[in-house]
C-alpha cells in the first residue's frame, strides 16, 4: 500500500518549497491528491495544479466538484487550461462541459483539436444519464481478419493511450460490432490464428441511448468489467468500464434515498450545494405536503362535538397516525428497493398485496393488543380502550396495503416509485388514519 | 448481444426433448439461466442442472437463493452434488456454507478434497462482511525474480483455472506481498526483464479483516478492478474482484434503506423471505415506536382543558406533527447518505448544524406563512391562526436541528446513523412537536 502521509500542502506552499512538493505529489494517486487539496482555497489549489504532470492534473481536475472547477478555470493561465482539457478522457471532458455555463463551454471547446471537439460533442449528443455519456471511444479496435500476433502488436503500439486493453471490440469496415476479444484470449491463442477465430462473437453490448441504470444492471448481472457500446445501427461508439458504473450505482441509490425523503434530487455533495439551493430543493414537497396534511383539519373539525365531550380521544391521535405512517414507510421501502434491484416486478403486484394482507393482519393484531394494554394507564373507560384498539387494527391493515400498492400504482403511471415513500406516503396514510379513527370512535362511543 | 430468447424450459421438459434443451442451455450465460429457472419448482430445476456442464452448473447454483439451494441439495444425486460443489469458486463455496444448516455443511465438506476443504474453511474464519469472505485464492502468483517471458508462460499454463489474470500479485517465498503486475505490463515489457522491474511495488491492498464496505470505498476511490488481500502479517490471502464488490455496494444501500425505514435488516429478496420472518423483522421497531408514540397521549392529556374549550386546536395537530416529521426525515436522509458516501464526516457537525439553522429558518418562515393563509379557510379567529403559525415556525426549526443532529449523535455512540431516520426520527420529532404546539397554543390563547 502506498504510504498515505496526510501531506500538509499549505505548509509547503507557505515555505515556498515547491521542488519537494512537486516530487512528493508526482508519486501520489490522483484520488489521494484530490483529498489533500479538497479544502484548500482556489489560489492554493492552482499552485498544486501547476506542479502536477498533465495526466495527473487532468484526472484530479475532472474529479473536482463543478463549483471548484469553475473557480479554477477562471484562475488558470490559458496554457495550463489548454493542457489539462486536452489531456482529459473524452467522457470526463463531456461531463465537465455539461456542468459548465455556456461561455465557459465555448472557451474550453476552442482549446481542443477538431478531432477532440468532434469526439466530445458527439458524446454530449446522447441524453443525460444514458450509456453514451459514460462511453469512452479510447479503446483498441480490431478487425476480424487480423492475425493474433499482429493484433497484439497493435495493442502494444496503441494501448498506452487507451482507457483499457482488457477487452477489445472487433468491428468490420463499416464499424459494425462483430465481437469482443479479451487480452488473455489473444495471449493464450495460436499467434497465427485470426482474431475472428478467438473472439466471442455473441458479446453482450449496450446501446448508447440505454439508460445508465440499465447499463449498471447488465454489467452487474453478467459480471462484466467492460462493455462495448453501439449506436442504433450497431456501429461501435466505444466502451464503458465498470469504475464509471460503480459511481452510477451510488448515484442511483442516493437519488432513491432523496426521493424517498421527498427531496428534489441533486447529485452534488452536501457541502457543495448552497443553503439557498437546498431550501429550494426541499420546499416544494414540504409546502405540498403541508397543504395536503391540513385537509385533516377539515376531517377533525367535523368531529368537533366528539372532541369537546371526550378530549381524551385526541390523546391517542398521534400514536394512531404515527403507527400507520411507520407501517406504510416500512412496506413501501421494501417494495421500492425490491423494484430497484429487479426482485419485484410489476406483474407481482397481487402476490405482494396478498402477502401484505396477511403480514398486516399479524402486525395489526399484536399492535392492537399492545395499545390496549398501554391504554389502561391513560383511561379506565373500557369503551374508549376498545375503540382505540379497534381503530388501530383497521389503520394498520389499511396502511400496510396502501404502502404496498402505491409503488405499483406509481410504476404503472410511469412515475418513479421512490416518490411514493416517506413523507408523501406518511401524509396520505395519516389522512386516512384520522378519518378511520374518528369514524370508529364516533360509532363505538355513540355520542 | 446473445439472442435472449425467453426459453420455455417447462415445455421442453414436458416434451422430453432434453437433447435440444441441453444444446440451447450450453450456449446461455449463467445469469440468463438463473432467470429462466428461477420460478420453476425444485424437481424441474433439478432436470436443468442435470443438463448443464459442471462449470456452468456451479455458477448458477451459487447464485440461487439459500432456500432454493437447500431444496436442491436434498434432491441432487450425490455424484452431481459432489461435482457442483467442487467446481464452485472458493469464495462462492464459503458463502454457500455460511447459509446452510450444520448437517448440510458437514455433508458438503465431506465432498471436498482436503486442499479444497482447507481453502474454504480458512475463508469462513474471517468475520462476516469482511474482505476475507469476498476473497478468492484463485490468482496467478508471481515471484519478483522471475523473468517476464517465464511469468507469461506460467500465466498461460495456470491462467485458465483462475478468477482473473488481469492482475497478478507478486510475493516473496514467505508469501509476503511485494507488489502487483498487470497482464499488460508484462506484455509491454522486455521479455527478458525481471518481474520486479515491471511490477508496481507500492500497490493498494486491503486486509482480510477489513470491512467489505471499506473495500468497496477503496476500490471505488482508486478505480480498481482487482485488489490483493493480505493477512495481518502482510502475507497474500488472495484477490477481490470488482464484480463481487458491486454486489456489496447494492447490499449496503439496501441495508441503509431498511434501517432508515426501521426494519430489522435482511439480505434476502422479498419473495424469499417468509411472511412470518417479515412480521418478526418489522415488529420490534413498530411496538417500540408505538409505545414511544403513546407518550404523546400523556402530553395531550395535560392540555385536556384547552382541548375541551377549543377543540379546533386538535384540527391542526396532524399537519403540525407531519410537517415536523417531514422536515426531520429530509435532513436526516441527506446527512446519513452524506456520511455513507464519506462526504460528511463527524468533525463537520457544527458546519452542518449552522447551515441547517439557516435553512430551517428559511423553510420555517415560508411554511408558517403558508399555514397562516391556509388557516383562514378553517377559522376566523386571528389568535388561533397566529398561535398555529408561530408553533409551526418553532416546530420546523427545531425538527430540522434534531434531524441533523441525531445521525451525528448515533455515530459518536458507534450506532449506525441510518437507524436515526424515518419512523424513529418521526416519532421523536412528533413528541417534541406536540409539546411545543400545545405549550405555545396554551400561552398565546391563555385559557
Amino acid at each position: 500500500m502506498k504510504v498515505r502521509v496526510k501531506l500538509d500542502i499549505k505548509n509547503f506552499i507557505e515555505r515556498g518549497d515547491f521542488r519537494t512538493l512537486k516530487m512528493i505529489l508526482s508519486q501520489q494517486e490522483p484520488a489521494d491528491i484530490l483529498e489533500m487539496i479538497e479544502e484548500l482555497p482556489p489560489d492554493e489549489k492552482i499552485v498544486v495544479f501547476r506542479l502536477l504532470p498533465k495526466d495527473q492534473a487532468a484526472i484530479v481536475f475532472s474529479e473536482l466538484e463543478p463549483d471548484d472547477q469553475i473557480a479554477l478555470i477562471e484562475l488558470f493561465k490559458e496554457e495550463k487550461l489548454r493542457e489539462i482539457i486536452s489531456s482529459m478522457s473524452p467522457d470526463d471532458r463531456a461531463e465537465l462541459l455539461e456542468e459548465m455555463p455556456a461561455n465557459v463551454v465555448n472557451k474550453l471547446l476552442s482549446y481542443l483539436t477538431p478531432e477532440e471537439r468532434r469526439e466530445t460533442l458527439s458524446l454530449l449528443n446522447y441524453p443525460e444519464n444514458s450509456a453514451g455519456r459514460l462511453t469512452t471511444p479510447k479503446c483498441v479496435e480490431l478487425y476480424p481478419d487480423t492475425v493474433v500476433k499482429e493484433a497484439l502488436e497493435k495493442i502494444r503500439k496503441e494501448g498506452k493511450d487507451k482507457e483499457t486493453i482488457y477487452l477489445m471490440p472487433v468491428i468490420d469496415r463499416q464499424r459494425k460490432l462483430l465481437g469482443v476479444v479479451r487480452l488473455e484470449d489473444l495471449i493464450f491463442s495460436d499467434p497465427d490464428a485470426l482474431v475472428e477465430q478467438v473472439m466471442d462473437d455473441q458479446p453482450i453490448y449496450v446501446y448508447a441511448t440505454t439508460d445508465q441504470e440499465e447499463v449498471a444492471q447488465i454489467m452487474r448481472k453478467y459480471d462484466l468489467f467492460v462493455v462495448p457500446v453501439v449506436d442504433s445501427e450497431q456501429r461501435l461508439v466505444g466502451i464503458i468500464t465498470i469504475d464509471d458504473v460503480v459511481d452510477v450505482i451510488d448515484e442511483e441509490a442516493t437519488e432513491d434515498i432523496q426521493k424517498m425523503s421527498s427531496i428534489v434530487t441533486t447529485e452534488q455533495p452536501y457541502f457543495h450545494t448552497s443553503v439557498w439551493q437546498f431550501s429550494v430543493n426541499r420546499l416544494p414537497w414540504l409546502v405540498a405536503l403541508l397543504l395536503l396534511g391540513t385537509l385533516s383539519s377539515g376531517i377533525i373539525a367535523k368531529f368537533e362535538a366528539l372532541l369537546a365531550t371526550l378530549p381524551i380521544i385526541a390523546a391517542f391521535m398521534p400514536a394512531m397516525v404515527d403507527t400507520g405512517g411507520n407501517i406504510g414507510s416500512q412496506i413501501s421501502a421494501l417494495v421500492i428497493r425490491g423494484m430497484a434491484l429487479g426482485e419485484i416486478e410489476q406483474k407481482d403486484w397481487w402476490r405482494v398485496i396478498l402477502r401484505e394482507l396477511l403480514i398486516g393482519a399479524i402486525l395489526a393484531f399484536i399492535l392492537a393488543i399492545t395499545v390496549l394494554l398501554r391504554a389502561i394507564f391513560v383511561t379506565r373507560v373500557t369503551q374508549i380502550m376498545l375503540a382505540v384498539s379497534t381503530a388501530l387494527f383497521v389503520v394498520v391493515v389499511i396502511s400496510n396495503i396502501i404502502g404496498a400498492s402505491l409503488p405499483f400504482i406509481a410504476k404503472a403511471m410511469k412515475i418513479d416509485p421512490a416518490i411514493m415513500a416517506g413523507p408523501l406516503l406518511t401524509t396520505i396514510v395519516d389522512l386516512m388514519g384520522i378519518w378511520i379513527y374518528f369514524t370508529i370512535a364516533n360509532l363505538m362511543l355513540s355520542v
Side-chain angles (χ1 to χ4, degrees), chain A:
Chain A
M1 195 180 288
K2 308 217 174 180
V3 189
R4 307 248 184 76
V5 245
K6 186 79 186 167
L7 254 194
D8 188 359
I9 293 185
K10 257 192 147 57
N11 186 277
F12 280 98
I13 294 177
E14 275 158 19
R15 290 207 328 266
D17 187 359
F18 298 121
R19 190 192 282 210
T20 317
L21 183 56
K22 184 172 182 171
M23 197 266 293
I24 297 177
L25 284 173
S26 68
Q27 296 166 355
Q28 308 301 313
E29 294 282 333
D32 289 322
I33 297 178
L34 186 70
E35 237 176 47
M36 290 179 212
I37 66 169
E38 229 169 15
E39 292 181 16
L40 295 181
D43 56 323
E44 294 182 1
K45 281 201 182 90
I46 283 285
V47 176
V48 173
F49 274 101
R50 224 173 275 149
L51 301 174
L52 290 176
K54 65 180 180 183
D55 288 336
Q56 232 179 351
I59 298 178
V60 175
F61 184 75
S62 68
E63 303 214 338
L64 287 171
E65 295 299 327
D67 51 347
D68 286 337
Q69 289 171 333
I70 295 181
L72 285 178
I73 285 176
E74 278 164 18
L75 289 173
F76 276 135
K77 293 228 176 69
E78 192 190 309
E79 200 40 51
K80 186 73 190 173
L81 190 54
R82 191 186 292 270
E83 192 181 284
I84 289 181
I85 298 304
S86 54
S87 304
M88 283 172 87
S89 75
D91 51 335
D92 287 342
R93 206 188 286 142
E95 201 188 329
L96 170 71
L97 291 181
E98 184 186 36
E99 303 283 351
M100 297 294 113
N103 58 333
V104 178
V105 171
N106 286 333
K107 182 164 141 189
L108 296 181
L109 282 177
S110 74
Y111 294 161
L112 300 175
T113 66
E115 168 62 16
E116 287 167 340
R117 203 176 310 149
R118 198 194 49 75
E119 232 174 40
T120 305
L121 289 176
S122 80
L123 294 185
L124 277 171
N125 269 336
Y126 295 109
E128 212 176 332
N129 297 328
S130 69
R133 290 293 184 92
L134 299 174
T135 303
T136 173
K138 289 202 166 184
C139 53
V140 181
E141 299 163 357
L142 299 177
Y143 293 113
D145 52 2
T146 307
V147 179
V148 164
K149 65 183 169 204
E150 279 163 22
L152 280 170
E153 196 46 49
K154 184 176 185 201
I155 294 171
R156 220 181 297 254
K157 238 188 273 163
E158 299 180 3
K160 293 269 178 212
D161 278 343
K162 305 299 185 183
E163 181 104 3
T164 184
I165 54 164
Y166 173 79
L167 181 133
M168 271 66 60
V170 182
I171 54 176
D172 66 13
R173 265 52 183 184
Q174 283 73 49
R175 299 193 53 75
K176 285 228 166 93
L177 181 71
L178 301 175
V180 296
V181 62
R182 287 179 306 161
L183 182 55
E184 52 201 80
D185 297 331
L186 294 175
I187 295 181
F188 292 153
S189 306
D190 172 5
D192 294 317
L194 294 179
V195 165
E196 65 185 338
Q197 293 171 299
V198 301
M199 73 181 184
D200 174 359
D201 60 357
Q202 297 193 308
I204 292 172
Y205 60 80
V206 298
Y207 290 96
T209 48
T210 305
D211 187 84
Q212 59 176 14
E213 201 166 354
E214 206 185 315
V215 177
Q217 273 173 4
I218 290 173
M219 295 190 77
R220 187 174 59 202
K221 182 172 167 186
Y222 297 104
D223 290 343
L224 305 177
F225 289 6
V226 180
V227 71
V229 183
V230 299
D231 66 14
S232 55
E233 283 150 62
Q234 307 290 117
R235 284 178 314 213
L236 183 71
V237 178
I239 54 170
I240 294 179
T241 51
I242 183 81
D243 49 319
D244 293 319
V245 167
V246 167
D247 296 339
V248 168
I249 292 175
D250 268 324
E251 267 171 35
E252 299 284 346
T254 302
E255 204 181 297
D256 274 0
I257 288 175
Q258 289 179 346
K259 279 193 190 145
M260 289 168 83
S261 316
S262 299
I263 301 168
V264 176
T265 56
T266 168
E267 280 174 19
Q268 284 167 44
Y270 180 80
F271 286 119
H272 288 270
T273 311
S274 72
V275 165
W276 183 245
Q277 187 57 46
F278 255 130
S279 305
V280 170
N281 284 355
R282 292 171 66 183
L283 256 181
W285 275 108
L286 286 174
V287 171
L289 292 173
L290 176 59
L291 290 177
L292 188 59
T294 52
L295 290 182
S296 63
S297 50
I299 300 175
I300 299 173
K302 283 210 187 112
F303 296 94
E304 220 172 311
L306 177 68
L307 272 172
T309 342
L310 282 174
I312 192 75
I313 287 294
F316 285 100
M317 201 163 71
M320 187 75 53
V321 299
D322 275 0
T323 305
N326 294 345
I327 293 274
S329 299
Q330 285 186 337
I331 182 60
S332 64
L334 283 170
V335 173
I336 291 165
R337 187 64 188 161
M339 286 177 163
L341 294 181
E343 291 164 7
I344 298 180
E345 289 170 57
Q346 191 69 2
K347 67 174 171 53
D348 297 322
W349 69 269
W350 61 273
R351 288 169 69 196
V352 174
I353 302 291
L354 273 186
R355 276 173 64 109
E356 290 309 322
L357 261 178
L358 191 55
I359 293 177
I362 296 174
L363 297 177
F365 180 74
I366 299 175
L367 292 173
I369 301 276
T370 309
V371 87
L372 196 62
L373 297 176
R374 176 65 178 81
I376 297 175
F377 295 96
V378 181
T379 172
R380 298 270 159 199
V381 188
T382 321
Q383 267 183 307
I384 295 181
M385 283 159 50
L386 282 178
V388 168
S389 166
T390 311
L392 188 74
F393 185 90
V394 179
V395 166
V396 168
V397 172
I398 296 186
S399 301
N400 203 42
I401 293 300
I402 294 183
S405 318
L406 284 183
F408 287 103
I409 295 174
K411 217 171 176 187
M413 293 167 66
K414 312 260 179 234
I415 302 170
D416 187 333
I419 294 286
M420 293 298 180
L424 176 57
L425 182 95
T426 311
T427 308
I428 294 172
V429 163
D430 284 2
L431 275 179
M432 189 271 326
I434 287 167
W435 180 78
I436 293 177
Y437 178 48
F438 277 100
T439 307
I440 290 180
N442 207 27
L443 281 174
M444 290 182 66
L445 304 173
S446 53
V447 275

